[in-house]
Amino acid sequence: MIKYFCAIFSIFIFHFSFSQIITGSVKESVSKRNIFANIIIKQADKPDDISEYAIAKNGDYTVSLSGTYKKIIIEASALNYNTVTQTIENPQKNTTYHIDFILSKEQVKDIKEVIITSPKKPFVIEKDTVKYNVLAYRDGSERKIEDIIKKLPGIEVNEKSGEIKYKGKSVETVQLEGDDLFGSNYSLGTKNINVDMVEQVQAIENYSANPLLKGIENGDKVALNLKLKKGKIDFSGNLDYGSGFFSDNRQVYNIGTNILGISKNYKSFGSLSYNNVGVNNTPFDYFGFNLSNEQIKEGNFLAKKLIPETIFTSSLDDSRANINNSIFGNYNSIFKLGKKISVKTNLYYIQDKILQTQASENNILTEENSFTTSDLYETKKKPVLYRADIESKINTSKQSLLEYKIKVSQENINTLSSVLQNNSTPFDTELNSESFLLRQDLTYTQKISEKKAIQIQLFQSYNRTPENLSISPFFQIDSITNFNRQYSTYTKNIISAQSIFLGSTAKTKYAFSLGADIEKNPFISYLNNNSDNNFYNDFLYNKNSFWFKGAYHLQYGNFKISPSFNVSFLNQNLNSISEKSSDLLIEPELALKYKLGEISSLFSSLSLTQKSFSEEYFIIKPIFISPRNVISSIPSLEIKKTLSYSLYYSVNDFYRQIQCRLGFLYNKDNGSYFSNFNISENSTVLNYFYLPRSNESMTFSFFAQKYLPIIESTVRLSSDLSISNYKNIVNNSDLRNNRFQNLTSEFFFKTAFDIKVNFENQFKIFQNVSKSEGVEQFRNNSLQNTFKITLKPRRKWFVLLSSDYYIPNLDKKDSYLFLDAAIRFTPNKIYEVNFYAKNILNKKMFSQVETTDFITTIFQSNLIQRYYMLNISYIF
């Protein structure tokens, strides 16, 4: 794979190193000032086709020709100016041509009004914004706006977390009519807003959440904006009622309503839903616990649950595996009090009951012996979440802004399980866990001048996560100790303050910040009634840091150079081992970006980070995290040093509908906690210990997508290879060197025929290989194929037929075929009727295989039964 990656990458570099380059300027004929213009390259023998293009944003342009031409026409055009063309005969490779254009104003003539109607373009590029016309990407299968966003060129959506990326960058937020209504939890809007309400999806580069910092702070952020249809501005929404029957005659429900209200000073979006067909309308995943975009960003402020929640493992879509009973309510609003004050409110309520039967067979192979264990779990998980976010903004003057955010949430999860261990030992478990979070953020921004600003930020976060795991009948540990109940409470308190100075010039942007963080993190755990000191943990971990950060961004022609640094003084204190440490940490980073033209670029980065370890490694006495698993550690206040470097090449050509990315990422951790496993047929004891040794990981990625007009189809190829080299100890072995390799490859094909039938196919193949010294490797290959047929027999009718085919293990050839169907009838713009047939073959169980360096696990879990459902939608 590495050889192929290097070969492909070399071809691209060679191609762009020896191409023809055309540069120049576009000026106004009278004032001679530079003007914004479009530069289009055409072949002389195909004057109606666009071969290359560029945008002269500030009057200057550069085009790197990607093809070989005999004769080309260069056309410069701008709004309200006459178009000018020039030609080049036999453009030579490795040659730079300089061509300037002088454009004159168009003459205004009195003519009669002529109205011409034509189809809207799929997208329009205006400076830093791409405006996608929603109607141009619809095929009738879409219900929510997320279904459209997945189809837009340059945009990717993570099916599990809902995270959206534009040109490879994670989207900061999804705005509604220019207002940030949803924040980081933007999947609230994308999952619930009806596609019929939206006219445009706008992708915005150089996005700044703070209007005072626009043009001052480094503009690497991206965001989306949903532009609503004109008739949907005041008050609109939809009401859905779906009902039917499962194969065992239980009733199916999928009921929901969304209400959107917009006026001059007020925006709101509310959603209320109930379903038992595996649909997750929330930004939170209680089935597989995939982290949302917000949870990833705020991970450092949250207290980790040492006794993990039950995670239901399934490679299938949640709509097949998530046997739920979900109620979700959400209300979002922005209220503007005049021109200076606005208040945003986000309210959440979630209640669910998730049922799952999951069997696992673990084949364990060590240097000394091999054996098999098994567990059968019948689990009922009942999460409840209450949460309120409030954000207020006050423009104290035209040059200053005061922002205050507060978040309060209470999460309770009750998990009941009946367990059969090794087909012989039955018991029941109950896990009650809580998470209370209070977070506040105060930011003051003062714009000193047009190109300079200062910010002062105060931050406070409190998170407490008590847990209680009980087992019946009790588990005998030794002759005098039994395990009946495990308690654990972890609290994380953080207070921080910082001041930031930002500035910019014509070619540079810079920011410097000075701040301090104070953390107090107490932890307590004990067994049963707190009488056994061998299982009692009670420690306080304090971490204080004072730091100075700086970042500088220089735009020099097509180069962007971005050095940055963080110098911090870190104090750590862990009272359980009476140990303190003080470290001076220096973290440099250098990022380089080179634009090869308007559509392609190279990006590279090199960084060294130095961080303290997570508190989970500071637990000395054992904790039962399940009836079979026990964890402990040998604490150390050492620092983890991580060296990272990356190299990426990207192409985003919207006009020719080409996207391509090649990437490489390398990480090396110097000094890590390693795992010492002691595994038997009835238990797994894990002890973490620190060594000044290294772990390393590498990731190679390839993505290419092209619309082929000759066959009216979109083709996509992608491949991701990740390699991890790490160390551990298993059953008193020496320190073992291990290697894990994961390869995922995809081929996607979708037609866009102008007829009543179209096709879509997605083929994926997965390869996992685990290898350890002295032990034979564990390997598993699997594949997945999804095929869809869309039919439009009449204007008001739409039919979708789909199949999913899985082979979890290619060596065993056991396969699963799922068939689904959907029929939609739209009599008018107000009503819509849908009929769904899901899991028509009524597959009730699904198996999958996972591998590590010493274990192969076969999971088997139950699925949502076959059901038929009729859904009626009322749109207002």
Side-chain angles (χ1 to χ4, degrees), residues 536-553:
Y536 182 75
N537 290 283
D538 186 4
F539 68 79
L540 175 64
Y541 172 62
N542 292 332
K543 182 170 69 171
N544 303 322
S545 65
F546 304 90
W547 44 264
F548 176 60
K549 298 179 182 178
Y552 183 80
H553 308 276

Side-chain angles (χ1 to χ4, degrees), residues 110-140:
D110 294 329
I111 59 174
K112 295 182 179 181
E113 181 182 15
V114 178
I115 299 175
I116 300 175
T117 59
S118 61
K120 287 187 176 180
K121 295 180 179 179
F123 62 88
V124 176
I125 300 177
E126 294 183 1
K127 296 184 178 180
D128 294 332
T129 302
V130 177
K131 299 179 179 180
Y132 300 96
N133 173 26
V134 169
L135 188 61
Y137 295 93
R138 293 193 65 173
D139 63 13

Side-chain angles (χ1 to χ4, degrees), residues 221 340 349 449 489 512 649 664 720:
K221 298 177 182 179
K340 293 187 176 182
Y349 173 74
S449 65
T489 300
F512 299 95
Y649 168 78
F664 170 71
D720 294 282

Side-chain angles (χ1 to χ4, degrees), residues 783-798:
L783 68 81
Q784 169 188 342
N785 192 82
T786 300
F787 179 67
K788 297 179 181 179
I789 302 175
T790 59
L791 302 169
K792 297 179 182 178
R794 295 180 180 275
R795 186 173 62 88
K796 297 181 179 181
W797 289 87
F798 175 82

Side-chain angles (χ1 to χ4, degrees), residues 61-77:
Y61 73 92
T62 300
V63 183
S64 296
L65 300 184
S66 60
T68 302
Y69 309 105
K70 293 183 178 180
K71 181 180 180 181
I72 59 173
I73 300 172
I74 309 165
E75 179 181 286
S77 62

